[in-house]
Amino acid sequence: MKRLHIQGLGVSEGIRIAKAHIYKPVQAVIGEGVRSEDCIPDNPSAVEAELHKLRKAKTDCVEQLGKLIKKAKEAVGEEQAGILAGQRKLLDDPAFYPKMEARVREQLEPAPRAVAEIVRQVVSMLEGINNNYMKERAADIRDIGSRLLACLSPGQTGGLAEIEGPVILVADDLAPSDTVQLDPALVIGFITRTGGATSHTAILARSLGIAAVVGAGDGVGGIEDGDTLVLDGAAGLCIVRPEEPEAERYRLRMRQELERNRSLEEYAARPAVTADGTRVELAANIGSAAEAENAVRQGADGVGLFRTEFLFMNAQAMPGEEEQFRAYREAARSMGGRSVIIRTMDIGGDKELPYLQLPKEMNPFLGYRAIRIGLDRQELLRTQLRAVLRASAFGTVKVMFPMISGLQEWRQAKAILTEVQAELSQDGVSYDKNMEVGIMVEIPSTAVLAEMFASEVDFFSIGTNDLVQYTVAADRMNEHVAHLYDYFHPAVLHLIHRVIEASHAVGKWTGMCGSMAGDPLAAPLLLGLGLDEWSLEASRLGGMKERLASLDRQECRELAKRILCLDTPQAVRQALEEFLNTQGPSR
């Protein structure tokens, strides 16, 4: 058998080598044990008997999901368990389960076929929509449909219970309820034919620490049960039946990765301090309350960015104040007094919420998104701010508004916050009356006006991902202009410098929560520019602490001055690489 290289999308880092385990769940398609010509007898007792089977399957399904939700809460937290809770709600959707009963009653279809047909129709409808989010929600429908079919056919386990591990799971797709059942000690990685970076499965894989490659295409079909696989979750690569020299190279890399991780664990436990003794605040970016606990374990000084939009994207309907409050309170409590910066909903652009029915736009990144939605549909912003303020009574909570482009927007948002604070005071609800309020700096106009903003806001947080694309007019999702998208572009660096200087001039502080903050190459430059707070993925905190420990602040200040005089991103990169090459072994 020939070896294969399969390229997919890496969604959870880590190198793993193990035997393949082909996962074949119950298929929600007509023809799996049900001939299309079969019908139940046309008499009331037969119809009622079939309906009884279907209702019992639904009851069993609800019971199974209840147990899975409990397990998920323990394994990955309440918010991720909400994915399964959303599936359970689907069974009460009038456009889903009741239609199955109707097919049994009116078309005399056996229960399995009725389930398969409705699942097929809904999945087909979702996959026909030109929207990645909706396509990925089709996986939830398949999942609940497969579970119903399994309940109608006792004895079909779907194969997960048979795993003795350690293995790398190979599947056409993995449903969220499949993923949450995976034991990281037995399933050390997985590769799927379909799936995207924002799928629930990808989110759960990262939470569980399982290396994962998704969206690998039809090449996955070339993997056989028991094949030796090399999985590189960072590169999105799967090597099937590797030759021994190649496998040995990856074993070496895996050992180095383990040694490196152990080394970084030591750094994670220490505060971030530069070689000259300067203390640097390193925080974590999180997308759920459950990730806050991991941030603490990785040595975060706080949460620099709580992306609350994932709370909304993982729900079937807009989460209410109580649901939001519980998530924010959980994060605040988990951080044990460390600060948690909650960004208000940043929906729009590439993050859509079907239940909000946002208008289709020619250029959504320049359109109706983030604070623009909040100021237009104020009931959404008010509800979220009430939840954030209430959570502030349980820890050190701060709030920031995304996509602010001018002082008018900032003042409108701040005025709404003030009104919500007054409402809570009137209702006798506790909250932190001194809660810091800041803004994201991700639009060049805001950076240019930083001096004006600085006297009104409590802090800035620079979002380099959007700041870069708006500054150099290059869509960060467009591979054809990817070469233009570079946070080392001199124009971007001058905007960052301007923002930091403006905040310091009035005794305020500036953080950064974009990908630049997690780049070790950028570390000496950001330190030299005087960045006060760095927020990055929790898994990178140890590596960044190691890098900072090698840097001298005064040397970095001098470097930053020289770099601000350079005129191309290439020249900036070269200067940084040369600077780091002059440092010692750990520098």
Side-chain angles (χ1 to χ4, degrees), residues 505-571:
V506 291
K508 307 288 178 65
W509 61 273
T510 295
M512 179 179 287
C513 56
S515 56
M516 186 179 189
D519 184 351
L521 182 63
L525 172 59
L526 297 178
L527 183 65
L529 289 174
L531 187 70
D532 301 291
E533 182 242 29
W534 316 38
S535 191
L536 48 149
E537 300 304 317
S539 60
R540 297 187 173 189
L541 287 167
M544 186 55 72
K545 288 182 180 180
E546 180 186 45
R547 171 54 53 87
L548 288 169
S550 71
L551 301 175
D552 179 274
R553 190 168 194 179
Q554 185 54 40
E555 289 179 4
C556 291
R557 283 175 175 157
E558 293 166 5
L559 171 72
K561 285 180 185 174
R562 295 197 300 275
I563 284 180
L564 287 174
C565 297
L566 300 177
D567 56 7
T568 67
Q570 294 76 18

Side-chain angles (χ1 to χ4, degrees), residues 191-260:
I191 178 171
T192 62
R193 185 181 67 81
T194 63
T198 62
S199 67
H200 289 148
T201 295
I203 294 168
L204 287 168
R206 288 192 287 271
S207 297
L208 291 165
I210 297 175
V213 174
V214 302
D218 293 338
V220 170
I223 304 174
E224 296 189 0
D225 212 34
D227 276 342
T228 297
L229 303 182
V230 172
L231 193 75
D232 186 338
L237 177 66
C238 179
I239 303 173
V240 186
R241 299 179 287 274
E243 294 174 351
E244 185 50 34
E246 188 174 42
E248 185 53 35
R249 286 199 298 275
Y250 274 93
R251 287 190 198 98
L252 176 61
R253 283 185 58 188
M254 195 164 63
R255 288 194 293 271
Q256 290 171 337
E257 182 182 276
L258 290 172
E259 290 171 8
R260 170 82 173 153

Side-chain angles (χ1 to χ4, degrees), residues 7-11 127 132-133 135-140 142 171-176 179 190-203 206 212-218 220:
Q7 186 65 51
L9 180 63
V11 295
E127 291 186 334
N132 287 336
Y133 177 81
K135 290 181 192 297
E136 288 166 4
R137 298 293 78 73
D140 293 332
R142 283 198 202 91
D172 189 67
D173 195 6
L174 276 180
T179 311
F190 67 75
I191 178 171
T192 62
R193 185 181 67 81
T194 63
T198 62
S199 67
H200 289 148
T201 295
I203 294 168
R206 288 192 287 271
V213 174
V214 302
D218 293 338
V220 170

Side-chain angles (χ1 to χ4, degrees), residues 158-318:
L160 290 177
E162 302 162 5
I163 296 175
E164 295 180 352
V167 298
I168 294 173
L169 208 64
V170 181
D172 189 67
D173 195 6
L174 276 180
S177 65
D178 292 328
T179 311
V180 81
Q181 295 181 69
L182 301 180
D183 182 342
L186 300 178
V187 179
I188 60 176
F190 67 75
I191 178 171
T192 62
R193 185 181 67 81
T194 63
T198 62
S199 67
H200 289 148
T201 295
I203 294 168
L204 287 168
R206 288 192 287 271
S207 297
L208 291 165
I210 297 175
V213 174
V214 302
D218 293 338
V220 170
I223 304 174
E224 296 189 0
D225 212 34
D227 276 342
T228 297
L229 303 182
V230 172
L231 193 75
D232 186 338
L237 177 66
C238 179
I239 303 173
V240 186
R241 299 179 287 274
E243 294 174 351
E244 185 50 34
E246 188 174 42
E248 185 53 35
R249 286 199 298 275
Y250 274 93
R251 287 190 198 98
L252 176 61
R253 283 185 58 188
M254 195 164 63
R255 288 194 293 271
Q256 290 171 337
E257 182 182 276
L258 290 172
E259 290 171 8
R260 170 82 173 153
N261 289 341
R262 276 195 287 270
S263 169
L264 294 183
E265 283 175 6
E266 296 177 14
Y267 274 98
R270 307 175 191 169
V273 180
T274 62
D276 61 296
T278 301
R279 179 75 165 87
V280 179
E281 185 173 350
L282 287 192
N285 296 336
I286 66 171
S288 69
E291 291 177 46
E293 292 183 13
N294 181 51
V296 173
R297 285 195 297 272
Q298 299 285 343
D301 293 320
V303 170
L305 170 63
F306 186 165
R307 298 184 178 100
T308 59
E309 51 272 17
F310 287 111
L311 178 64
F312 301 91
M313 293 169 70
N314 290 338
Q316 303 295 325
M318 195 70 187

